[in-house]
Amino acid sequence: MTESIKTILIDGKWQEARDGDAIEVVAPSTGQRIGAISRGGKTEIDAAVAAARRAFEGVWGQTPAVERGRLLSKLGLRIAECAEELAQIEARDTGKAMKLARNDVAATARYFEYYGGAADKLHGETIPFLEGYQVLIVREPRGVAGHIIPWNYPAQMFGRTIAAALAAGNTAVLKPAEEACLSIIRLTELAIEVGIPAGVINLVTGYGEEAGAALTANPDVDFLSFTGSPEVGTLVQKAAADNHVPCVLELGGKSPQIVFDDVDVEKALPVIVSAIIQNTGQTCSAGSRVLIQRTIYEEFVAALAKRVNAVRVGSHDADLDCGPVISAVQCDRVRGFLERAQADGVAVIGEGRLDASAVDGGFYVKPTLLGPVDESHELAQDEVFGPVLAAIPFDDENDAIRIANGTHFGLIAGIWTENGARQMRLAKKLRVGQVYINGYGAGGGIELPFGGFKRSGHGREKGFEALKEYTVAKTIVINHK
Ligand code: NAD
């Protein structure tokens, strides 16, 4: 396929891949082609990294923090002005319902507002030392940051990684996911429009094994930020090790919602359902396991099933509870889990409905509640990345903690109990990066540090913690004797 599409931005200039190759863009709601992006590779990545280096050592390095912050805030405002256009692009490209796309764009604007405000508040420290010495700790940007992100929340991921990196004074080369990156192309245009200098943000569209791998292998990249699957995360970390550069990995999850018998049922039910159907379950922090105390298991799953049965699935513009999943591959993957569960005798307790807008050719799956699922079953252990909720009974607090911690993942958890002491005991014992008590925050909270334990990754994004990742401490010792 040879289509002239300029979706690569290097040093402020839009261009296509050197050999003119392109990748088709397909709308998940219909399965129809809606455009194409350039298939960048090593040549474009290397040029983008060189441009980012020049910008880091030149214009961006010389831009005072206050000015960096102003530019980021300006971009946040411009994103808010273009919110409806961006939401339309995002919904069509990813299949997500319009209301979710609108939320995502609002969050993207908020990332730039938040980190724009933080840019000039990255203070250093002083350390008491020997008589006659003054010690200063200054936080410096790492340099050229390489960003590789997935398709589930393209616009938000742009905000999350780019705003933090730039606020801290880094320059960026971004390789978005080939399945969905149209909003990112538009966001990058807006960044140039508001005056973020050429070379500060460079965008290379293309395949992961080509452009992504070239970015991780480039020895002039100082820091890697990766969000995606644990498998690719391993490759990224190995490449980072080869070049001795640090990396932040935000990987998958199998996050539990733990429901005790003193739960406020009416408060819990809608949150538990929304945490698995949000973005059609394609959220790293989806609440994909519901652990229920055995004494209330039957009545609670029955109430949950009622709500799951009411979930409606349709095209992005029908704006229902759930859209399609991202691709035919993802659709087959989710259906594979459901078929194997059926073959293993796991009962379906609740199932959402397809709306008339869920046309043939689109990538639709029905949200499904299954249980009781054995804690060793793949539905209780592996990330489905679709709207599939596994119900698992537990006996007591210790049993709940053991099951909750009993996967390779450790991203977030929800605890549903009115018992304050128990809330705190669990919060401390769960090996996850975020704990919600009587609530759940799949994907939310720009201000809240976010990241995993175990195969959910390491390092933290969001909040001020992200700025620590994107900077490094330098110690300056002054002898004034
Ligand atoms: P993926 O790992 O296949 O792809 C993620 C990105 O990596 C894409 O841009 C892809 O092109 C790129 N990539 C693929 N192969 C590569 C390689 N060899 N070298 C460098 N880059 C490469 O993941 P996905 O299918 O796009 O996204 C789904 C996964 O992402 C899920 O496992 C989900 O849990 C995870 N995720 C995690 C978070 C988080 O914050 N923890 C957020 C969203 C998604």
Side-chain angles (χ1 to χ4, degrees), residues 194-218:
V194 301
I196 293 184
V200 174
I201 302 176
N202 302 275
L203 174 69
V204 181
T205 54
Y207 288 119
E209 318 79 71
E210 298 174 355
L215 182 56
T216 62
N218 187 303

Side-chain angles (χ1 to χ4, degrees), residues 48-49 52-53 56 141-148 161-162 164-166 168-175 199-202 215 220-226 245-246 461 469-471:
V49 172
R53 172 66 55 200
F56 177 69
R142 291 190 180 270
V144 174
H147 305 258
I148 299 176
T161 63
I162 297 295
L166 267 53
N170 302 276
T171 55
V173 176
L174 171 62
K175 207 303 280 176
V200 174
I201 302 176
N202 302 275
L215 182 56
D220 206 28
V221 170
D222 299 302
F223 182 76
L224 285 165
S225 159
F226 173 79
V245 295
E461 297 214 281
E469 301 282 358
Y470 282 107
T471 54

Side-chain angles (χ1 to χ4, degrees), residues 33-56:
R33 180 185 188 281
I34 52 169
I37 54 167
S38 260
R39 179 178 170 180
K42 184 175 183 320
T43 307
E44 291 74 23
I45 285 287
D46 290 351
V49 172
R53 172 66 55 200
R54 285 192 299 276
F56 177 69

Side-chain angles (χ1 to χ4, degrees), residues 149 151-152 160 175 178 208 227-229 250-252 284 383 385:
I149 60 176
W151 41 259
N152 55 351
R160 177 167 124 185
K175 207 303 280 176
E178 53 272 33
T227 302
S229 60
E250 299 285 5
L251 310 176
C284 51
E383 185 176 48
F385 226 51

